[in-house]
Amino acid sequence: MVENKHDLKPIEKSDLVRVFVKGGIISPGDFNKIIQVAHEQGSAYVHLGSRQDILFPVVKKHVEVLDKTFQSINIGYDTDKEAYQNIVTSYTSLDVMPTTQWLASHIYHYILDTFDYQPKLKINITDPVQNLVPLFTGNVNFVASRQENYWYMFLRFSEIDQKPWCAPMLFFGFELAQIAKKIEALDPLSSSLGYESIYQKAMEGLKLNCHPWEEELQFTETITPYYEGMNRIAGGKYWLGLYWRNNRFSISFLKALCKLCMETNIGTLSLTPWKSLIVRGISEKERLSWEKLLGKFGINIRHSALELNWHIPVLNREALDIKDFLVRALDKQDISTYGLSFSIKVSHMVLFTAIVIEKCEPKSEKDPVTFNVMYAKGFNPNQSEYFYFVKNIPLAIVPNVLIELSQKYYDQLEEDKLMLEKKKKVHVVSTKRFKKFQCASCLTIYDEALGDPVSDIQEGTSFSTLGQEYSCPVCDSPKSAYREV
């Protein structure tokens, strides 16, 4: 195995080759070719990116070799400071999390096939029911509606705009590429036009099978899922989630993984935005082979949620060190962070976690390093709205602040549970079949749904529970004068 000749030198982003795994879906054969070319270029490992791409460091790039390899497998790549972008999908959540009923694997494949160009805008194609892939980290975000193969479109071209703008139409799945390509042609990242103007210009001349949406997109509760380890699914099969703490996936291990996939007829690997890899469809009889593979390479699984649910920039040693410090500090206090997710923000990045630890810009070199801690509205990143919890605190205090914030989260869960139970009770009352009774003397109606405010009788009070002393509030006739109508 060839070791990375530049391991002693800090790798810069400009040294990275970014491979666009469209939708985060790749065959073991193609993955093997990618890691082979990374090996030939002098790297001993690859990284997984937050946009479901594959990255590997190469200081002296042999463009001819890269071109030949990636053209042969029809996969795009980039070495020019993020000139192009990968398309992100929630395909990786299939069989791992709940799914919108109509959204099956072939739908993702058909839609991705319609994108016959390499986008410069970030495009997300996601299922709102799952929580593994963020909905709004793209510039053009397509989110599945309840209507089969029709999608909402949300636009966001600036980090300053916390909330994405929702287009007034639902778009047919096989036409998403058309509207996305037209929007990109307008260069919205540099345009001074507003979202509505860009949308209207993009729609000009297009004949699309779209129609106005009738209900707003409903967000599900976002509990960050456990995306690692060997997990059983329907049909007696398993999915395996692989996570590496430092996001350096050994090429020697990945080669062995691809080989085992091909030997056991696993046709697809999928990447998550959490920089992990999912192998789906492992049979019971092959499970031991996979466990032997993990053991041979010393691969640990079943990390704690405290370790897993972090988003940090690729190749950022400072952010990784901050995360390691915080994880160790929280682990010593035996704190649970289940359901929460965290980001370390030391530079510009799109936020998609419940809590963000943001490094402050020092006014001078003499100023101490401090941090802000933010949390998403309702601890739901899909709400795209963040609030400051504390500002300008030293790193040593951040663990205690995170403990306070996690308690706030669990308190809110309890409040939400009580509110839900209250709503259920109201629903039970409101759907009960109420009866009506009429006074035979003056024809006044007693409606069980409304009660009798004049006599201080509450809504929903059954007529049969009224005492015999009850009388008509209009003519004072006794209860016996009433007849059911």
Side-chain angles (χ1 to χ4, degrees), residues 290-302:
W290 284 93
E291 290 175 346
K292 286 181 177 179
L293 176 69
L294 299 178
K296 178 181 177 181
F297 286 89
I299 307 300
N300 292 320
I301 57 175
R302 294 300 177 194

Side-chain angles (χ1 to χ4, degrees), residues 108-270:
Y108 287 107
H109 285 291
Y110 288 153
I111 291 174
L112 288 170
D113 286 345
T114 63
F115 282 84
D116 57 357
Y117 68 101
Q118 187 62 55
K120 294 182 178 180
L121 295 178
K122 295 176 181 178
I123 296 172
N124 286 22
I125 303 171
T126 55
D127 180 355
V129 175
Q130 56 80 44
N131 296 324
L132 186 59
V133 180
L135 306 186
F136 303 126
T137 53
N139 303 124
V140 183
N141 305 279
F142 297 107
V143 183
S145 73
R146 295 185 185 182
Q147 185 176 351
E148 185 170 348
N149 210 6
Y150 275 87
W151 303 72
Y152 296 93
M153 182 174 72
F154 293 84
L155 305 180
R156 180 163 60 183
F157 304 125
S158 171
E159 291 180 25
I160 299 174
D161 303 323
Q162 283 196 350
K163 286 196 171 185
W165 179 84
C166 183
M169 295 287 186
L170 291 179
F171 293 86
F172 185 54
F174 304 149
E175 296 175 344
L176 302 186
Q178 293 184 51
I179 184 68
K181 191 172 186 177
K182 194 77 181 293
I183 289 172
E184 184 167 300
L186 297 172
D187 192 18
L189 298 180
S190 303
S191 175
S192 59
L193 294 174
Y195 288 107
E196 192 164 353
S197 298
I198 290 172
Y199 165 74
Q200 290 175 348
K201 283 184 172 292
M203 291 291 285
E204 289 177 2
L206 290 180
K207 295 181 180 179
L208 301 178
N209 183 17
C210 58
H211 58 79
W213 48 262
E214 297 178 354
E215 61 175 354
E216 292 185 356
L217 176 65
Q218 300 298 311
F219 298 115
T220 58
E221 184 181 3
T222 54
I223 294 178
T224 307
Y226 199 90
Y227 53 85
E228 193 233 17
M230 188 76 74
N231 303 269
R232 191 176 181 86
I233 56 177
K237 294 196 173 184
Y238 296 83
W239 65 267
L240 172 64
L242 295 170
Y243 162 84
W244 247 306
R245 182 179 283 113
N246 61 4
N247 193 23
R248 287 161 63 124
F249 287 78
S250 159
I251 283 180
S252 57
F253 167 70
L254 292 177
K255 282 184 177 179
L257 179 142
C258 290
K259 182 173 182 291
L260 184 55
C261 282
M262 290 184 277
E263 289 174 350
T264 57
N265 297 317
I266 291 176
T268 303
L269 299 171
S270 55

Side-chain angles (χ1 to χ4, degrees), residues 65 77 240 285 288 298 393 420 425 441 455:
V65 175
Y77 80 99
L240 172 64
K285 68 177 182 178
L288 182 59
I393 60 171
L420 182 61
K425 288 179 181 178
S441 302
S455 304

Side-chain angles (χ1 to χ4, degrees), residues 350-369:
V350 179
L351 304 178
F352 66 85
T353 60
I355 296 174
V356 180
I357 297 96
E358 176 186 53
K359 182 182 177 182
C360 301
E361 285 290 337
K363 295 180 181 178
S364 69
E365 293 182 0
K366 297 180 180 179
D367 289 341
V369 176

